[in-house]
Amino acid sequence: MKMSKMYMPTLKEDPSEAEIASHKLLLRSGMIRQLVSGVYSYLPLGYRVIRKVEQIVREEMDVAGSQELLMSPIQPRELWEATGRWANFGPEMFTLLDRNSREFCLGPTHEEYITDLIKNEVKSYKQLPLNLYQIQTKYRDEKRPRFGLMRGREFIMKDAYSFDVDEEAMIRAYDIMWKSYDKAFTRLNLKYKVVEGDTGAMGGRVSHEFMAMSEAGEGFMAYCEACDYAATDEKATVVYNVENSNQEELPLEKVLTENVTTIEGLEDFFKIDKSSFGKALVYSVKGKPLVVVIPGDRELNEIKLENYLEISSHDIEMADEEMIIDITGANKGFTGPVGLKEGTRLLVDSRIKDMKNLIVGGNETDIHLKNVNYGRDFQGEVVEDLLMIRDGDICPKCDEKLKMARGIEVGNIFQLGTKYSEGIGAKYLDENGKEKYFVMGSYGIGITRTVAAIIEQSHDENGIIWPLNVAPYEVIITVINTKDEEQMNLSQNIYDELAKKGVEVLLDDRKERAGVKFNDRDLIGIPIRIVVGKGAADGMVEYSLRKTGEKEDINVNDLIKIIEEEFKNNGMAFKS
Amino acid sequence: MKMSKMYMPTLKEDPSEAEIASHKLLLRSGMIRQLVSGVYSYLPLGYRVIRKVEQIVREEMDVAGSQELLMSPIQPRELWEATGRWANFGPEMFTLLDRNSREFCLGPTHEEYITDLIKNEVKSYKQLPLNLYQIQTKYRDEKRPRFGLMRGREFIMKDAYSFDVDEEAMIRAYDIMWKSYDKAFTRLNLKYKVVEGDTGAMGGRVSHEFMAMSEAGEGFMAYCEACDYAATDEKATVVYNVENSNQEELPLEKVLTENVTTIEGLEDFFKIDKSSFGKALVYSVKGKPLVVVIPGDRELNEIKLENYLEISSHDIEMADEEMIIDITGANKGFTGPVGLKEGTRLLVDSRIKDMKNLIVGGNETDIHLKNVNYGRDFQGEVVEDLLMIRDGDICPKCDEKLKMARGIEVGNIFQLGTKYSEGIGAKYLDENGKEKYFVMGSYGIGITRTVAAIIEQSHDENGIIWPLNVAPYEVIITVINTKDEEQMNLSQNIYDELAKKGVEVLLDDRKERAGVKFNDRDLIGIPIRIVVGKGAADGMVEYSLRKTGEKEDINVNDLIKIIEEEFKNNGMAFKS
C-alpha cells in the first residue's frame, strides 16, 4: 500500500479522553475512532490487526475441532427468560422492539441462542461431542465504558460452545479449549496467567480466566509462586486465621463513642488493632435491608456476597441513611449485629464466629459494644467466605504467601453443566435411548480487547510495537526524498519485489518531511523498516526493527534474505 | 473435515415455509436456520460459502483501491436526522435506546455514519480521492421478510463509499466500482445485467443495479436487445405515443354508467379500448388526498409517484372510501379529474394532456364524463412520466421493443453527489483554500443475497451445484463401506494428500448407507467427487463432477493430476 493513498488519520497529541497506552495509541495511530461512548469504528490499519488476531484464533479453534458458524446478534427475549438471564443482565443489555412489538436484545453472549439452535437438530449421543464457535460483535450496555477497546459497549468476541454427553466428556472439551487458548495467546505473544474465575451470571461451577499481565488491566489476580494457585480477586479463597478463638468470653460492655463512626476512628479510640472489630455493612437488596458482618481489618467481596445471595450486581446497593436508622435506631456508623430490628437479615463471615470479644456498633447513636461474642450475643447466617483477597494473604493450597497483580481478561472458559440445556429444554438420546440434557461448556476470547492487551504489553513512548504476525503491515519503506527519482525507483523496486513474495508492505511516498514519516512509522508500529535515502545511488538502504531500533546499512541485494530471516525468527514464512 | 464430526443437519424434505430453490436448498442442506422471521443463523457449511463470497468481493475491492474498515452497526439518531432519513426509513429501521435513553438505529446503511467519520479527519483535496468499504451485517425491519437469504431483516453486505473533489472525479470513482463489480460477479459465476436504477431514498441522480438473472428474483427489469438500454421496472422510462392528439375536441357529455366502476367494465359498456379512458387513482399522502390521472390502459408506477412527491413509501396509501366520498361527492369507482372538491391536489401524467376526448369518472355516483379534454375541462400538475413499464414497450433509446425479465438485485451503485456531505456538513479545502462539500458515491453488494442468487442459477432437483471457488469444500470423498479397512485407508490417504496441497476436502466416513451419502453429497453440492468402493483393492476410484455427473473410473495415482486440472479449468490452483 502506498501511504500517500492510505486512510490513516494520525494525531500528533494524545487525545485527552484516553488514560491508558492502548487507548491513546490506537487513537493517535488512526486505528480506531469513537462513535459514541464505548462504541468504536475500526479504521483500515486497526481493522487489519483485528482481522489478523481473529485469524490466529480461528486457526486454533479449527485445529481444536471447533466448527465456525455465525449467529444473529439479535436474540428474542423468550430465550433469555427461559434461563432467567433477562432480568439478570438487566440494564447491561441493549434491548429493542421490532415492528410487531416483539422484544429482542443485542446479544452479550449466545448460550441460550445456540442451545436453542441445536435443540432439535442434534438428537443422538452419536452426534456428540460437538463444539461450535463464532467471531462476532457483542453488546453490553456498560455503565462506565472506558479505556478504548478494553471495556466497550460493543466489542468483537470469539465465543465457542461445547455439547457433551456427560460431565467427564465436558471436562475433556474444556481441557481441549484450554490448550487451544494457550496456543492462541502464545502465538499472539501475550504474557498471561490462567487463573480461577468466578462463574457469576454464567452459571456452572468451574471457570478460568486468561489474564494478560498488565498494570493497565482492570482485573486483579492473586497468585502463588510456590505452587500453581492463581485466582481472580473475586474468586480467590481468603485464608484468615483467627488468633484469639481460645480467649475467654468477657461480659458485654456498652461504650460511649461520641462521633466515632469509622474503623480508623475506633482503632484510635480503643487503641486496639482493626482485627478486634466486627465491621457491619448495610445493604439494600431488592429494596430490603441486609446487614453483613466481617472482620474489621478486611474488605467485603461483593461478588462472593452476590453469589451467596444468588443475585446480580444491579439488585444490590449500599443502604441509605433512612434504612439504616430504621433497622438500627441509630445514625450511620453505629450499626452492629446485636439488637437489630426484628426480621433484619444478618450475614456473618464464618471467621466472626470464632473471634472472641469483638467490638461492634451498638445500634444506638454514639454507642459501641465491647466483648461481643457470636452465639452468646447474636446469631446470623454464617457464610464461609465473604472476604476480599489481599497481597500477602496465605495461599489456600500451600500456605505460602500470595502475590497480587493486575491483568486484562482476554479469555475465559466455563464449565456450564446443564444450566442452559435445562433452561431451554435441549436433550439428546443416550446409548440406551434415554433422554438426557446436554452438558455444556462456553469459551470466550475478546478479540478487540486482545488487540488492546498486545499494545499494553508492547509499546514505547513513540508508539506501538506490533508482533510481526499481527502487524497491520509487515514492512515499511520510508523514502527520504520523494523528489529524488533514484530513491523512488529503488523504493518501488523493493516494494514490488516484497509484494510479489506476499509480504505486506507500506511505501511511505508521502510528500512529508522525513521526521514526520519516522514519527508515524514508530507510532503505527510496523515491525520491519527500510529507509531509502542518499545511499540509494549505491544500492544501500537502512534496515532496522521496530522492537530494537538498531540501524544497519545494507546492500539492497541482501534485503530479501534478511527480511526472510526475520520472518523465520518469528515462526513465519513468505506467502509466495 | 471428517463428516462423521461435522455439524450438518440436513433435512430429507423441503421445509414447508420455503418457496424458492435457494431457500429450500439452504435449509435442506443444513447451511442456514431461521431464528425468527427474516433472521438466520449461518451454519458451518453455509458460513464457509459466505466467507468465500466475502473474500472474492474483498479482493476486488482491494484491487480497486478501496480500503477496508469496520463501522458499528449502532448509529445515533442525530446523524440520520441531519439528512432527513430518520423519518424516511420509518418502521423499516430497528431502533433502540441505550441506558441513558439516547436513541440509535441498527444501520440499514452507513452514508451518514461514514460522512461523519471522515468529516474532521479528511481536510484537504490532497487526501482525495478516498474510497472505504466494510463487510458487515445490516438491518432492515422488512414488513414481509421472505425467500430465505433473499429478503431478510438482517443480511450481510459489502458497502463502500467514495469521496471526491467534484462530480467528474466522483464519476471516475463510480466507473472504477462498476468495473470492480463486473469482475466480482464474473468471478462469482453469475449471469447478470447492469440496469439503470431508481435512486429513491438514497438520493443523487444516477444509479445502477446489478441484477442476477433469475425467475425467483423480486426485481423486474426492462431491457433492449437492439441497444444497451436496461433499467429496473421502477426506473424505466415509458414511451407512450398518444394516437389521437390531433382529434377535434368534442362537447362534454354526462353518461349514466350504473354500477360500472372498473376500467374493464367501462371498456365493455362503451365498447371502446382502455386507452380511451383516463384512470383516476386516489391516494392518501400523509393523510391528505391526492388524485392521479393516467391513461386507462396503463398502471401507475408508485416509485415514480413517490419520487415526484419526494416522499417515502410509508407516507402514502390508497385512500379509503370516506376520503373518496369527501373529495368526489361520489362512491368509489366514479372519481375523475373534473369537479373535484376545491383544494384537492391533482397530478396528471403528461400523456393525458395530449389525449383527446377522454372518458373519465364524473365525481357523481353512476356517472362518467365523455369527451373530457385537458385544459378545457380540467387542469392539474403535469408530471412527465408516472407509468409502469411493460413488456413490448418502446425502447427510449432506440425505438425497438423492450423485453422484461426478473432478476435478483445483488449489487447497486449510486452517484450521491453532496446530499450527505451537505446534511452532515462535511467539507474539504480545495487547491485555492476554499471549503467545498465532498462529492460522494455509495456502492453495495448483498453478500448473503449473492449466495442465494448463485444457488438460484446453479442447482438441480438433487441439490446445489456450487462453483468451485465458493463451494464450502472443494472435494468430497465418499467411502462406500466404512468397515472395509482397505477403503478407509485409501480414502484417508487421498484425504491427507489433498489436504497437504491445501485442498478443502470432506471425507464422508459416516456409518450410513451409500445412498444417504450420495444424496447428501448432491444436496450440499460439492464440485469434485471421489467414491472409494470395491475398486480400492486395485487402487481404482470413481471420479465425477457435480455439474455433469459423468462418472469415470480412474487410478488413484492419476487423481491429484486430474483434480489439479479441474482447479485450472476454474482459474484456480492448489494452495500449497
Side-chain angles (χ1 to χ4, degrees), chain A residues 244-514:
Chain A
N244 73 347
S245 59
N246 294 324
Q247 239 177 44
E248 196 187 341
E249 295 189 359
L250 302 175
L252 190 71
E253 278 179 42
K254 252 191 192 185
V255 185
L256 183 68
T257 52
E258 223 165 331
N259 295 326
V260 185
T261 59
T262 63
I263 288 285
E264 287 70 25
L266 288 168
E267 229 183 336
D268 230 45
F269 182 93
F270 284 97
K271 309 278 179 245
I272 199 170
D273 185 72
K274 280 179 186 157
S275 60
S276 303
F277 298 91
K279 180 153 73 176
L281 300 151
V282 191
Y283 289 92
S284 168
V285 178
K286 297 179 184 175
K288 287 189 177 159
L290 172 78
V291 178
V292 187
V293 182
I294 58 171
D297 60 340
R298 302 303 300 225
E299 297 304 318
L300 180 83
N301 182 327
E302 293 198 352
I303 300 292
K304 290 180 181 173
L305 177 61
E306 286 160 20
N307 287 345
Y308 176 78
L309 295 170
E310 296 182 351
I311 59 168
S312 74
S313 62
H314 48 263
D315 293 329
I316 183 166
E317 52 182 3
M318 295 307 296
D320 58 15
E321 195 98 29
E322 195 184 348
M323 185 181 272
I324 294 172
I325 293 171
D326 178 52
I327 60 162
T328 67
N331 288 344
K332 196 174 163 185
F334 301 97
T335 307
V338 184
L340 286 163
K341 182 177 175 184
E342 210 177 305
T344 302
R345 189 172 182 186
L346 175 64
L347 300 191
V348 175
D349 181 81
S350 63
R351 277 56 72 112
I352 289 289
K353 209 160 56 98
D354 299 327
M355 289 164 77
K356 296 297 176 198
N357 304 320
L358 282 167
I359 301 172
V360 299
N363 293 329
E364 196 175 318
T365 302
D366 290 341
I367 296 295
H368 275 81
L369 299 181
K370 224 176 133 175
N371 301 331
V372 169
N373 288 287
Y374 186 85
R376 186 189 74 179
D377 304 318
F378 71 102
Q379 286 194 307
E381 287 171 59
V382 175
V383 184
E384 183 59 31
D385 178 17
L386 288 173
L387 306 185
M388 183 54 83
I389 197 85
R390 68 182 181 202
D391 195 64
D393 267 349
I394 305 296
C395 173
K397 269 180 88 172
C398 77
D399 288 348
E400 286 296 318
K401 284 197 169 169
L402 292 176
K403 293 195 164 179
M404 296 292 291
R406 298 183 77 127
I408 301 163
E409 184 189 350
V410 287
N412 50 35
I413 53 180
F414 294 92
Q415 294 181 12
L416 299 174
T418 55
K419 166 168 176 167
Y420 297 92
S421 49
E422 285 188 37
I424 302 291
K427 299 176 196 175
Y428 69 94
L429 292 177
D430 74 3
E431 314 88 56
N432 307 313
K434 226 185 110 189
E435 279 199 329
K436 286 197 174 153
Y437 289 113
F438 294 102
V439 183
M440 293 172 56
S442 114
Y443 317 93
I445 288 181
I447 299 288
T448 35
R449 191 183 275 181
T450 294
V451 170
I454 292 171
I455 297 174
E456 290 299 337
Q457 290 191 357
S458 185
H459 68 273
D460 61 18
E461 64 281 13
N462 299 321
I464 303 167
I465 305 173
W466 290 117
L468 189 60
N469 62 349
V470 298
Y473 288 87
E474 293 152 347
V475 176
I476 184 167
I477 306 167
T478 307
V479 191
I480 295 291
N481 181 359
T482 52
K483 287 182 195 144
D484 182 318
E485 212 172 310
E486 218 154 20
Q487 291 184 22
M488 281 303 280
N489 284 343
L490 183 62
S491 301
Q492 185 70 49
N493 288 346
I494 299 170
Y495 179 83
D496 291 342
E497 203 172 343
L498 287 170
K500 218 164 57 192
K501 297 196 176 292
V503 177
E504 299 171 18
V505 205
L506 280 181
L507 174 58
D508 197 346
D509 59 342
R510 294 176 300 165
K511 292 183 182 66
E512 297 278 1
R513 284 179 300 109

Side-chain angles (χ1 to χ4, degrees), chain A residues 5 7 33 35 41-42 44 51 58 67-70 72-73 98-99 113 121 139 141 153-154, chain B residues 5 7 33 41-42 44 51 58 67-70 72-74 98-99 113 121 139 141 153-154:
Chain A
K5 302 195 168 172
Y7 185 53
R33 281 297 177 267
L35 173 69
S41 306
Y42 310 120
R51 286 183 33 87
R58 175 176 287 122
Q67 297 174 60
E68 187 172 8
L69 82 174
L70 185 64
S72 173
D98 73 1
R99 66 193 299 155
Y113 183 137
E121 311 273 7
Y139 297 86
D141 199 357
R153 299 200 287 170
E154 178 185 292
Chain B
K5 302 195 167 169
Y7 184 53
R33 282 295 179 266
S41 306
Y42 310 120
R51 286 184 32 90
R58 175 177 287 121
Q67 297 174 59
E68 188 172 9
L69 81 174
L70 185 64
S72 172
I74 289 185
D98 74 0
R99 67 193 298 155
Y113 183 136
E121 310 274 8
Y139 297 87
D141 199 355
R153 297 200 287 171
E154 180 185 290

Side-chain angles (χ1 to χ4, degrees), chain B residues 316-351:
Chain B
I316 184 167
E317 52 184 0
M318 296 307 298
D320 59 16
E321 196 97 26
E322 196 185 346
M323 184 180 274
I324 293 173
I325 292 171
D326 178 51
I327 60 160
T328 67
N331 287 344
K332 194 174 165 185
F334 301 96
T335 307
V338 183
L340 286 163
K341 182 178 174 182
E342 210 177 302
T344 303
R345 188 171 183 189
L346 174 65
L347 300 190
V348 176
D349 181 81
S350 63
R351 274 58 70 112

Side-chain angles (χ1 to χ4, degrees), chain B residues 343-369:
Chain B
T344 303
R345 188 171 183 189
L346 174 65
L347 300 190
V348 176
D349 181 81
S350 63
R351 274 58 70 112
I352 289 288
K353 212 163 52 104
D354 299 327
M355 288 163 78
K356 296 299 176 194
N357 304 318
L358 282 167
I359 300 172
V360 298
N363 293 330
E364 195 174 320
T365 302
D366 291 341
I367 295 295
H368 274 81
L369 299 181

